[in-house]
Amino acid sequence: MRAERIQLIEELIEVGRDAVSRGLVLASGGNLSARLSEDRFIVTASGTWFDRLTRDDFCEMTLSGEVTEGSPTPSSEWRLHQRAYAARPDAECVIHLHPHHAVVLASLGHPIRLLTLDHALYVGSVGVTPFYPNGSDELADSAAEQLREHDCVIMQHHGCSVVGDTVRATYRRALNLEDAAKATAL
């Protein structure tokens, strides 16, 4: 494995463990990816649990949807990542989690308020999509459309997708999104 690919996978593994410990995802819900080049990215495999990720739990794909490296089947949500990268050439990472507060607020039609400097800085603005089935083209397309204008999108009754220029910055954005949602719910 190339050194850059290994480093990105290690960072995603760390995010996965932390996201589970914070209750932002359960079992095999959610998925993680990082861009490798203009037309390639790595994404977690189908059925992988965030707190048990290993280097073998990632596969490499092209933006056209072909698996190029790695034996596991990609996450059923690979289109969510693929379309995000296509919509946002500046995105180097996509994190898809299921944060309870953010999802509940968006599903009830309540906007998330950005109450702190960190919320404003890291989240910026939040897009919302209606519910579509997991892994569907409609879900991937609607999320990508929102990501053209926002770094965070909440998919009603489902989860969020967050983009950024590094794995750590993207995860920090996701953490601040859920923190803003908790503060809004108070």
Side-chain angles (χ1 to χ4, degrees), residues 5 39-46 58-75 78 82:
R5 186 175 191 267
D39 68 338
R40 293 184 188 273
F41 64 100
I42 51 171
V43 64
T44 47
S46 179
F58 293 82
C59 59
E60 186 174 314
M61 298 186 71
T62 65
L63 285 183
S64 62
E66 297 173 51
V67 175
T68 58
E69 191 174 318
S71 58
T73 302
S75 166
W78 66 267
Q82 171 210 31

Side-chain angles (χ1 to χ4, degrees), residues 89-162:
D90 62 319
E92 295 295 325
C93 179
V94 178
I95 294 179
H96 171 59
L97 302 172
H98 298 166
H100 297 288
H101 292 86
V103 171
V104 168
L105 288 173
S107 298
L108 293 173
H110 300 300
I112 294 174
R113 296 178 295 163
L114 306 178
L115 299 170
T116 71
L117 180 60
D118 282 348
H119 297 163
L121 178 66
Y122 293 110
V123 176
S125 64
V126 181
V128 177
T129 72
F131 172 78
Y132 293 105
N134 295 5
S136 68
D137 284 319
E138 295 86 0
L139 178 66
D141 290 340
S142 65
E145 189 59 37
Q146 288 295 311
L147 287 170
R148 290 183 193 285
E149 296 180 35
H150 310 281
D151 291 332
C152 302
V153 60
I154 303 171
M155 297 154 286
Q156 291 181 329
H157 310 288
H158 183 146
C160 72
S161 280
V162 180

